[in-house]
Amino acid sequence: MKLFLDTADLDAIRRIKRLGMLDGVTTNPSHVSKTGLDPQELYPLICGEVDGPVSLETVGTDADQIFKEGLALAAVADNVVVKVPLLPEGLIAVRRLAGEGIATNVTVTFSANQAILAAKAGADYVSPFVGRLDGVGHDGMDLVRQIHQIYDNYDFKTQIITAAVRHPIHVLQAALAGSHICTMAPAVFDQLYEHPLTDSGIAQFLADWRKVPNQHPETAGVPAPM
Ligand code: E4P
């Protein structure tokens, strides 16, 4: 499963990128608004930082407007994926953008029927918002399982981006459900490697190593040459 960051925070993107396993980024209008930056300046910086797809979202509500916005966003960089909210007008625009060879991600998706429409419109990605469904008493991950099965049944090529992820269990469940991608906040990404037993285990090893004789600060941990 590919791991994406769901953020427009450049510092966070650079920090997680250092780990060497960042596969892409998804942004949305709320993330961009939080940065206080001009999207015209921010978007090229994010796209230049990421070796993988970067979703940039449209805000229009009619097909012509969304299509034009999509063309402008796609011109920002080669790795742009135009993220379009699931509106009937959005689906019309997705088909037109697909016809131009522009990659799209249908977002704000809450049902399997919506995901069928996204695939039929020619979207490259669909983003079911699992955490928001959980928040209103549904099982968000059940939606990911349904979409995965439907796409398998009909050999749709659209990839599932499990989104609105709230915690590492969502990431695990997305992987078990066969989601192609999981996008998450930097704080959730950090939780993937954090574990209290790892911390205490390493602390114990380091404490014991300090008791080993003949330690030299520059060669600690490196066997002495023969
Ligand atoms: C996905 O691409 C969205 O940006 C994101 O996950 C939105 O979800 P949230 O605002 O509920 O976290």
Side-chain angles (χ1 to χ4, degrees):
M1 185 174 69
K2 291 186 176 166
L3 302 177
F4 283 15
L5 274 183
D6 190 33
T7 185
D9 179 341
L10 259 178
D11 289 339
I13 291 169
R14 289 183 178 126
R15 184 175 65 75
I16 301 286
K17 184 186 165 187
R18 271 194 75 229
L19 294 171
M21 54 193 81
L22 179 62
D23 297 308
V25 164
T26 51
T27 66
N28 65 35
S30 307
H31 292 326
V32 175
S33 166
K34 256 183 247 161
T35 68
L37 299 172
D38 173 354
Q40 312 264 27
E41 288 168 23
L42 180 63
Y43 285 166
L45 294 175
I46 296 177
C47 293
E49 200 62 54
V50 180
D51 302 322
V54 176
S55 285
L56 305 178
E57 191 160 337
T58 58
V59 290
T61 50
D62 76 73
D64 286 342
Q65 211 181 346
I66 296 169
F67 178 66
K68 272 191 212 144
E69 265 186 81
L71 292 179
L73 289 171
V76 169
D78 287 346
N79 55 344
V80 168
V81 173
V82 178
K83 198 176 180 194
V84 180
L86 201 142
L87 300 160
E89 293 290 308
L91 294 172
I92 294 167
V94 164
R95 180 173 293 287
R96 287 173 63 188
L97 289 165
E100 298 292 323
I102 293 172
T104 56
N105 170 7
V106 171
T107 187
V108 205
T109 305
F110 292 97
S111 80
N113 284 332
Q114 290 177 328
I116 293 172
L117 298 181
K120 288 181 77 71
D124 295 84
Y125 304 94
V126 67
S127 295
F129 280 19
V130 297
R132 293 196 194 184
L133 278 169
D134 289 358
V136 293
H138 292 265
D139 181 352
M141 211 48 73
D142 210 34
L143 173 59
V144 174
R145 286 186 281 268
Q146 286 176 5
I147 299 172
H148 188 260
Q149 185 180 332
I150 292 165
Y151 283 5
D152 256 16
N153 288 350
Y154 298 100
D155 202 23
F156 284 126
K157 301 296 178 220
T158 309
Q159 295 193 43
I160 304 168
I161 305 181
T162 299
V165 154
R166 301 288 180 251
H167 45 67
I169 301 294
H170 273 152
V171 182
L172 172 64
Q173 290 171 331
L176 290 170
S179 185
H180 305 91
I181 298 154
C182 186
T183 192
M184 67 206 80
V188 175
F189 204 112
D190 288 336
Q191 286 179 290
L192 299 184
Y193 54 77
E194 285 169 356
H195 198 288
L197 291 179
T198 302
D199 294 344
S200 59
I202 292 171
Q204 181 66 58
F205 285 148
L206 294 183
D208 289 343
W209 186 251
R210 280 193 287 274
K211 297 176 210 154
V212 173
N214 289 328
Q215 286 304 305
H216 185 281
E218 283 168 24
T219 55
V222 180
M226 300 292 288

